[in-house]
Amino acid sequence: MVRDDLYITVPSFFRCPISLDVMKSPVSLSTGVTYDRSSIQRWLDNGNNTCPATMQVLQTKEFVPNRTLQRLIQIWSDSLHHPLHPPLSPTSTHSQSLPSKEQILLAISDLQTRHDNRFDSLAKIARFAQDSEENRDFLVRTECFVPLLVGFLDNVNGGVEFLEQVVTALDLVIGKMEDREGLKNLILKRQGEAEKQSLDSLLVALRQGSHATQIASVRVLTSVAVDVESKLMIAEKEGLVSELLKLITPEKDPDLIENCLSCLVAISSPRRSKMKLVRLGAVKVLSKLLCGSNMSVSMTEKVLKLVETVSSTKEGRLEIGEDSACVAAIVNKVLKVSSVATEHAVTTLWSVCYLFRDETAQEAVTKANGLTKILLLMQSNCSAQVRQMSADLLKIFRVNSKSCLSSYDTKTTHIMPF
């Protein structure tokens, strides 16, 4: 570790929020904040019933030892006198040996104190996380690690390559975090301009990162889209949705397409998100995917889910109705992919043809042999909801058929000789 005899950089999370000294016996309150035992005990003994850092009222004054942080502080302290970075031998390289937990804890410490070694430290941590579920659990339980990564998202000074390492590491551990609300607040709900910077960084990773980084960035966005507020923050970030739509064109990698579709599904439920998708031309992009022939079942289900979502708006139904190829492709997926895909397809057809009564769409359904599909669906083991929508559609097409027949009879009558 880089240091001199007069000045040593101490990681901020090693310091007690009360005394500002390096903690000797770190303990955590029910709020999740860690203090040195003697400092917080003195605070509580003075009659206080709040957490000093957050000022939240404590449900209990009990605290638990933070063994992981204590171990990290001990390793850091020992490394000041006995560095844990021995020179590599010809038979022992980074690519051949997996870092130990002690080395990983020191690497986490280095992330905050050694600016010249951050890239290597993150690479080591990512390799450790990729090795096993147990290792990812260990990193998530290391209290400071995820906030440290998010801090880098808020203030990336190491260029695109360092950003790629940050996003990759965050994606590796984010799935092990149970508190998604806390994760959302950590990434999106920061003070000042920080909330914008996190999304800016993820957008840069989408635009300039490698294929693997693009997938990792999209997965992080999907993970924090947990409520209306977060979904709108992501959807309304300038350039983000349009970038996601660019990445789901048929020529892109299937894994990237599917992850982008998952993200779009996650953020599309608020009405403002739906309207933005329609404005940005999502129907045409989704139509191209539906007309292709190389989609997996899960990918097809997600595409149809998004089409169904935009069909719940008047503007979306109009866009779908005007795209006869899209309507025909939707019909084609009925009874052909899965029960989930069929339900999404029928719901869309019901919205456009029955609810909105779009005549162009109705004609496209007829040309695509949709009436036969609906009749077959009525005879299948479908859900009650799908059966009812199919019955509604059948009524529309029967009425149209009678109307056409009546019109034909009238015209024939007019030209018959008396």
Side-chain angles (χ1 to χ4, degrees):
M1 178 172 291
V2 177
R3 63 188 187 283
D4 57 45
D5 294 334
L6 298 177
Y7 178 77
I8 296 173
T9 302
V10 179
S12 62
F13 52 89
F14 288 0
R15 296 183 184 274
C16 173
I18 297 175
S19 69
L20 300 182
D21 294 327
V22 175
M23 290 181 277
K24 296 177 181 178
S25 179
V27 294
S28 299
L29 292 178
S30 58
T31 57
V33 182
T34 299
Y35 302 90
D36 200 15
R37 182 186 294 270
S38 59
S39 297
I40 192 61
Q41 189 65 66
R42 194 159 47 246
W43 169 270
L44 296 174
D45 289 345
N46 287 337
N48 296 297
N49 68 340
T50 57
C51 171
T54 66
M55 296 312 294
Q56 288 179 265
V57 176
L58 298 171
Q59 301 299 319
T60 173
K61 291 187 177 182
E62 294 181 357
F63 44 73
V64 294
N66 190 329
R67 303 294 188 195
T68 300
L69 186 55
Q70 186 171 25
R71 187 180 179 193
L72 179 54
I73 292 172
Q74 184 62 54
I75 292 171
W76 170 80
S77 178
D78 290 345
S79 73
L80 296 177
H81 305 95
H82 308 287
L84 290 179
H85 297 287
L88 293 173
S89 66
T91 58
S92 176
T93 66
H94 284 290
S95 62
Q96 293 172 332
S97 60
L98 192 70
S100 66
K101 290 181 179 179
E102 287 74 17
Q103 289 173 318
I104 289 301
L105 289 174
L106 185 60
I108 293 173
S109 173
D110 283 350
L111 283 176
Q112 191 171 53
T113 59
R114 294 187 62 188
H115 293 196
D116 63 321
N117 199 41
R118 283 178 172 176
F119 191 90
D120 289 341
S121 295
L122 262 180
K124 182 186 295 184
I125 292 167
R127 189 154 49 87
F128 176 82
Q130 287 169 340
D131 186 65
S132 69
E133 293 283 333
E134 179 186 349
N135 289 352
R136 290 190 281 277
D137 280 331
F138 173 80
L139 288 169
V140 169
R141 291 197 306 270
T142 302
E143 184 177 314
C144 59
F145 180 60
V146 174
L148 190 59
L149 290 180
V150 175
F152 290 140
L153 274 186
D154 289 339
N155 185 24
V156 177
N157 294 318
V160 175
E161 285 189 53
F162 181 67
L163 174 61
E164 286 188 294
Q165 288 281 13
V166 171
V167 173
T168 298
L170 191 55
D171 174 50
L172 283 168
V173 300
I174 210 169
K176 307 299 293 183
M177 296 186 67
E178 296 180 358
D179 183 11
R180 291 305 171 93
E181 180 71 19
L183 178 65
K184 177 206 76 173
N185 292 335
L186 189 64
I187 293 180
L188 298 178
K189 297 208 43 145
R190 307 295 292 274
Q191 296 299 318
E193 294 297 315
E195 66 180 42
K196 297 180 181 178
Q197 186 63 43
S198 293
L199 289 178
D200 283 337
S201 296
L202 291 169
L203 183 53
V204 169
L206 270 180
R207 287 173 170 167
Q208 302 180 31
S210 66
H211 169 258
T213 301
Q214 289 175 319
I215 291 177
S217 181
V218 171
R219 284 162 57 92
V220 171
L221 288 168
T222 305
S223 295
V224 297
V226 295
D227 56 21
V228 172
E229 181 185 28
S230 57
K231 292 174 182 182
L232 286 173
M233 288 181 71
I234 295 170
E236 295 181 349
K237 174 62 187 174
E238 186 65 33
L240 208 158
V241 171
S242 58
E243 192 64 31
L244 289 172
L245 290 174
K246 288 179 185 177
L247 295 175
I248 62 171
T249 51
E251 64 273 11
K252 297 293 184 180
D253 176 80
D255 288 339
L256 178 59
I257 293 175
E258 184 145 15
N259 278 282
C260 289
L261 288 170
S262 295
C263 185
L264 288 169
V265 168
I267 66 175
S268 64
S269 55
R271 177 172 174 77
R272 274 155 47 192
S273 297
K274 298 174 188 177
M275 297 298 293
K276 185 161 191 176
L277 282 169
V278 175
R279 286 198 306 273
L280 292 175
V283 172
K284 289 184 179 179
V285 176
L286 296 171
S287 177
K288 287 181 181 179
L289 284 174
L290 283 175
C291 292
S293 58
N294 297 321
M295 285 201 300
S296 65
V297 171
S298 60
M299 196 186 300
T300 305
E301 289 174 350
K302 290 180 177 71
V303 173
L304 288 169
K305 172 62 178 175
L306 281 169
V307 175
E308 177 195 332
T309 298
V310 298
S311 76
S312 64
T313 68
K314 180 179 178 181
E315 293 78 4
R317 290 192 293 269
L318 186 60
E319 288 278 334
I320 295 169
E322 291 177 348
D323 189 339
S324 58
C326 180
V327 176
I330 294 169
V331 172
N332 185 50
K333 303 303 178 186
V334 174
L335 292 174
K336 196 173 182 179
V337 181
S338 68
S339 58
V340 172
T342 293
E343 183 162 347
H344 292 321
V346 172
T347 303
T348 301
L349 295 174
W350 181 85
S351 295
V352 176
C353 297
Y354 179 79
L355 193 62
F356 193 53
R357 305 295 172 101
D358 188 289
E359 293 183 0
T360 305
Q362 291 172 2
E363 184 178 347
V365 171
T366 302
K367 288 182 177 179
N369 203 25
L371 187 56
T372 301
K373 280 284 186 82
I374 294 169
L375 288 169
L376 289 173
L377 190 59
M378 291 286 289
Q379 299 171 27
S380 70
N381 189 27
C382 60
S383 67
Q385 182 179 350
V386 171
R387 190 178 300 279
Q388 181 58 56
M389 288 188 291
S390 299
D392 290 339
L393 286 168
L394 204 56
K395 291 175 186 176
I396 288 293
F397 288 110
R398 280 177 173 168
V399 168
N400 288 348
S401 297
K402 290 179 180 178
S403 176
C404 289
L405 183 61
S406 175
S407 175
Y408 175 79
D409 288 342
T410 301
K411 291 178 183 177
T412 304
T413 301
H414 284 204
I415 64 174
M416 285 181 65
F418 290 96

